[in-house]
Amino acid sequence: MTQLEKEQVILNAAMDCFSELGYKGTTIERVAKRAHVGKPTVYQLFESKLDLFESLVTFVLQEMRTEAENAYVEGASVEANKQAMIDAIVNHQQQHLFILKITEETHNLKLQEMQELRTRIEKHVVDYIKNLLETRLGLDVSSSGIPIDVTAFLLFRTYIALIAEWPLIGDELDLKIISQAMLKLL
């Protein structure tokens, strides 16, 4: 098995562990056992549990970015590309729920390093959405005249609210409804 393949196996095992046990309940030993590798192998690739978590988050965000970029069709209308890109982001809902669950847990635990990571993740996502809106859709302000960075932030927060918070007070929403709600912001 190559180093890249080992890393992927460990990241998959880490996703399972973090999803089932949360950040606090996940240990390098549990990840290693789930990945069928030794603890030293995990430590060769990742310095700590935080480093492993950061790498997993980076992987998931990169996957989302690739899906959104692949959804863009040269020559298609702006509206069609808006829809396709929002759909691509929304369709990664389960992976995003994993990130939201863990970052929320760590926020509640008041772990300073995780709060800093959460802030970096949120800034990265908002910056990415802003860049996507500017470069792929050619927007500098939304249709309502709101600056594009504010629109990017509202899209991100709307997405989080609809997938993670709405089910606490209402029925879980269909992905199509989430997508339509986000499009209204554009």
Side-chain angles (χ1 to χ4, degrees):
M1 184 181 308
T2 68
Q3 185 163 330
L4 190 59
E5 290 170 333
K6 282 182 195 174
E7 185 175 326
Q8 190 59 54
V9 166
I10 292 167
L11 287 173
N12 289 340
M15 170 109 45
D16 292 343
C17 288
F18 284 125
S19 295
E20 290 173 21
L21 307 168
Y23 185 82
K24 191 174 181 180
T26 296
T27 63
I28 293 293
E29 184 174 348
R30 284 186 169 145
V31 171
K33 187 174 184 176
R34 176 81 50 104
H36 304 290
V37 299
K39 274 176 54 174
T41 302
V42 177
Y43 280 116
Q44 286 173 348
L45 297 168
F46 306 97
E47 291 179 16
S48 63
K49 179 167 73 168
L50 179 62
D51 182 43
L52 176 59
F53 182 72
E54 282 187 78
S55 296
L56 184 56
V57 168
T58 300
F59 174 75
V60 169
L61 292 175
Q62 184 57 47
E63 215 173 46
M64 179 190 73
R65 174 179 281 175
T66 300
E67 288 294 320
E69 289 291 332
N70 289 341
Y72 178 82
V73 176
E74 195 70 43
S77 71
V78 170
E79 291 304 313
N81 276 324
K82 281 182 191 178
Q83 181 73 54
M85 293 164 88
I86 293 291
D87 287 347
I89 291 169
V90 169
N91 285 330
H92 274 358
Q93 180 183 13
Q94 291 306 317
Q95 290 175 327
H96 300 155
L97 283 173
F98 148 76
I99 293 172
L100 293 171
K101 174 185 168 192
I102 299 300
T103 55
E104 191 61 36
E105 173 198 358
T106 55
H107 178 70
N108 292 338
L109 294 173
K110 304 291 187 221
L111 298 173
Q112 182 63 34
E113 60 191 8
M114 288 305 294
Q115 289 180 8
E116 290 168 6
L117 175 60
R118 179 183 179 161
T119 300
R120 284 198 319 264
I121 291 168
E122 290 177 354
K123 181 169 178 15
H124 173 78
V125 171
V126 169
D127 287 346
Y128 171 68
I129 293 170
K130 177 185 176 214
N131 184 311
L132 196 63
L133 295 174
E134 289 173 331
T135 60
R136 288 299 193 180
L137 301 179
L139 302 176
D140 56 357
V141 294
S142 72
S143 58
S144 63
I146 298 171
I148 208 67
D149 55 342
V150 174
T151 300
F153 177 78
L154 290 172
L155 280 169
F156 177 62
R157 287 297 180 180
T158 299
Y159 177 73
I160 289 172
L162 292 176
I163 66 167
E165 297 168 15
W166 176 259
L168 299 174
I169 62 170
D171 293 336
E172 190 172 314
L173 297 173
D174 180 76
L175 296 180
K176 186 79 173 160
I177 292 172
I178 294 170
S179 176
Q180 289 170 349
M182 292 173 66
L183 283 170
K184 291 277 188 202
L185 294 172
L186 296 175

